[in-house]
């Protein structure tokens, strides 16, 4: 028989997590004003709020932590990170930052001005935030298939080349400072972009003389999907695929909290020395000197090691298969989820679970609360609360999809935890007809309300 996948690591250290009773959880979530961000982590049994910075480092990464060089300038740790970026990603220049959104802030300070247009594939919230903060506009050019959770398409992160070219034709090149390709595309459900699409985007961009940058938080997971789903790449190593992917980019921003498997860190990598020099000014202002930029030496060491480990096939196979296991169980139990399964998370289609709730009752949030009460599992709402109000009309924006994202941290939970999550979700699903009321807002902040919103049950 074909041998199944198995984690290419064993466990050397464990962290206690505590189970609780339903009664406790009913009280805790009420005290947290029905906002899962307000829960203490000790009140959560399986924490699937995010896969960002929540992964487990390896013994080699921890060893690297011990030999970090904390010199202010020119630390050996900086050169370790520089070499890893050059060898694995192929970029000559780089700037460390404290996390992904900081990389966006620094890079966009150098590139984006008021009135600019930035096309891409469903820009991540912080990316869009940093574009809009500069009074520029993010234009979504994702393929239409991405917006229907039931369509099976191998590369739902792809950019629609017609939509993209229409934008490139419509505006002068001076108004389009860059194209951003997010790999994998978080906002469309952790969906990958094909190598063919990366090539086509680059070709189109060259025709219009626009640079292409990748938002690379989950680049290694994207490379895995290319290997599995794109015929021409099935015999290539992940590192070969990664090198080719980035050969079609002029630069990248990185949240290292994902595919570099560290708890904190980020960077910008570039080919252009001129842009490197321009961005360095902002890096020094916002992040720190260019050889540490918001990171300690030990963190740069761990990051360099993490980049190497995250671009190995067997690690990625166990990672993506574990996410898929949760997806498969949900399908078996009849729970509607987004297809195909994403690289880092499973997205539950809350409108299909709770069709009886009005959109004003925050459907996905209600489902996320129920899953917490059922099993102490913390997911996150990707729905109306996150979509926030229209800045002009101040009316709620109701997105097409109400999703609960269950993001799986890297190398952190076992498949038994996954079975536990799926069983809890099944229990909620089985009693879905009893959930007849949602929640209403008691307090909300003027922007980014989802973090601090206070709710009560209707
Ligand atoms: N780009 C993508 C695609 C992301 O998913 C994130 C973060 C960022 C940029 C920003 O990076 O958090 O290091 O500043 N995503 C997290 C998530 C928060 O839960 O999906 P950061």
């Amino acid at each position: 028989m074909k041998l199944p996948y198995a984690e290419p690591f064993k466990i050397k250290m464990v962290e206690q997590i505590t189970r609780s009773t339903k009664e406790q959880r009913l009280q805790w979530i009420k005290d947290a004003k029905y906002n899962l961000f307000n829960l203490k982590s000790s009140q959560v049994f399986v924490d699937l709020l995010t896969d960002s910075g929540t992964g487990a480092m390896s013994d080699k990464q921890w060893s690297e932590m011990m030999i970090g060089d904390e010199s202010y300038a020119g630390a050996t740790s900086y050169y370790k990170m520089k070499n890893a970026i050059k060898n694995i990603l192929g970029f000559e220049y780089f700037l460390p930052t404290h996390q992904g959104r900081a990389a966006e802030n620094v890079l966009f300070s150098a590139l984006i001005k008021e009135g600019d247009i930035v096309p891409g594939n469903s820009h991540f919230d912080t990316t869009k935030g940093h574009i809009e903060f500069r009074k520029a506009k993010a234009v979504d050019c994702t393929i239409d298939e991405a917006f229907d959770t039931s369509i099976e398409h191998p590369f739902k992160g792809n950019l629609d080349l017609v939509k993209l070219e229409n934008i490139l034709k419509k505006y002068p090149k001076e108004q389009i400072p860059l194209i951003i390709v997010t790999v994998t595309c978080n906002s469309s459900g952790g969906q990958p972009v094909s190598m063919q699409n990366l090539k086509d985007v680059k070709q189109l961009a060259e025709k219009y003389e626009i640079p292409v940058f990748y938002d690379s938080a989950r680049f290694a997971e994207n490379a895995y999907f290319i290997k599995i789903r794109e015929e021409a790449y099935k015999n290539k190593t992940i590192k070969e695929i990664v090198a080719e992917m980035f050969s079609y980019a002029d630069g990248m921003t990185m949240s290292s909290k994902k595919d570099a498997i560290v708890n904190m860190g980020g960077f910008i990598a570039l080919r252009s020395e001129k842009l490197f020099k321009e961005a360095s000014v902002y890096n020094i202002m916002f992040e720190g000197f260019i050889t540490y930029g918001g990171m300690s030496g030990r963190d740069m060491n761990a990051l360099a090691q993490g980049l190497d480990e995250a671009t190995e096939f067997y690690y990625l196979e166990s990672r993506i298969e574990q996410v898929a296991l949760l997806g498969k169980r949900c399908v078996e139990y009849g729970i509607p989820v987004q297809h195909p399964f994403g690289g880092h998370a499973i997205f539950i289609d809350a409108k299909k679970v709770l069709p009886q709730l009005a959109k004003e009752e925050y459907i996905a949030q209600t489902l996320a609360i129920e899953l917490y009460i059922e099993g102490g599992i913390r997911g996150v709402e990707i729905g109306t609360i996150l979509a926030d109000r229209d800045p002009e009309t101040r009316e709620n924006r109701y997105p097409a999809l109400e999703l609960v994202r269950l993001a799986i941290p890297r190398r952190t939970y076992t498949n038994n935890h996954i079975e536990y999550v799926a069983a809890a979700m099944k229990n909620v699903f089985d009693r879905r007809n009893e959930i007849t009321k949602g929640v209403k807002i008691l307090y909300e902040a003027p922007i980014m309300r989802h973090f601090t919103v206070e709710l009560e049950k209707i």
Side-chain angles (χ1 to χ4, degrees), residues 6 22 28 33 36 52 60 62 71 74 80-81 109 133 171 215 258 270 289 295 304 315 317 349 357 376 416 441:
K22 218 176 217 179
W28 290 337
K33 303 278 197 272
L36 294 137
S52 182
K60 287 196 177 148
W62 279 108
S71 305
K80 248 183 207 172
M81 189 164 154
S109 295
F133 181 72
Y171 299 94
D215 176 353
K258 286 83 166 176
L270 300 161
F289 182 58
M295 293 185 72
Y315 154 71
E317 181 187 45
D349 194 331
L357 294 191
N416 284 334
I441 293 181

Side-chain angles (χ1 to χ4, degrees), residues 31 53 61 74-75 98 100 109 225 232 264 273 286 309 384 405 416:
D31 295 344
Q61 285 179 292
H98 79 274
S109 295
F225 283 119
M264 192 51 77
E273 186 183 3
F286 299 146
E309 293 175 13
T384 304
R405 183 183 81 168
N416 284 334

Side-chain angles (χ1 to χ4, degrees), residues 115-215:
D116 280 352
I117 302 290
V118 185
N121 54 341
S122 302
H123 312 64
F124 183 66
D125 321 359
T126 59
T127 319
K128 202 171 175 181
H130 277 295
I131 293 169
E132 290 175 352
F133 181 72
R134 290 171 172 81
K135 300 197 163 58
K137 198 169 164 213
V139 180
D140 189 358
C141 298
T142 315
I143 56 169
D144 290 335
E145 289 88 333
F147 303 101
D148 182 337
T149 57
S150 62
I151 296 180
E152 283 283 350
H153 183 293
F155 293 103
K156 275 185 170 176
N158 279 359
L159 282 88
D160 183 321
L161 298 170
V162 176
K163 287 185 197 171
L164 178 62
E165 187 155 20
N166 284 342
I167 299 294
L168 302 186
K169 265 192 212 149
K170 188 169 166 191
Y171 299 94
K173 69 177 187 198
E174 293 72 27
Q175 209 180 333
I176 309 177
L178 75 166
I179 297 167
I180 298 176
V181 183
T182 306
V183 289
T184 57
C185 187
N186 189 1
S187 306
S188 71
Q191 301 292 328
V193 181
S194 71
M195 191 73 90
Q196 189 59 51
N197 196 247
L198 294 176
K199 257 189 247 186
D200 292 341
V201 167
K202 181 62 182 159
Q203 214 177 20
L204 205 54
E206 275 176 353
K207 182 171 151 197
Y208 291 88
E209 297 174 56
I210 313 282
V212 178
F213 281 72
Y214 294 171
D215 176 353

Side-chain angles (χ1 to χ4, degrees), residues 211-262:
V212 178
F213 281 72
Y214 294 171
D215 176 353
S216 314
R218 301 178 182 85
F219 74 95
E221 291 169 6
N222 199 94
Y224 176 84
F225 283 119
I226 288 176
K227 182 174 169 77
I228 298 302
R229 296 182 184 169
E230 218 167 339
E231 182 61 22
Y233 293 90
K234 70 171 189 234
N235 295 322
K236 301 250 189 221
T237 65
I238 297 293
K239 285 195 167 66
E240 285 166 345
I241 294 170
V242 165
E244 184 177 337
M245 280 168 62
F246 285 108
S247 74
Y248 307 123
D250 298 281
M252 62 181 281
T253 55
M254 177 74 185
S255 167
S256 307
K257 302 167 74 171
K258 286 83 166 176
D259 274 352
I261 330 183
V262 290

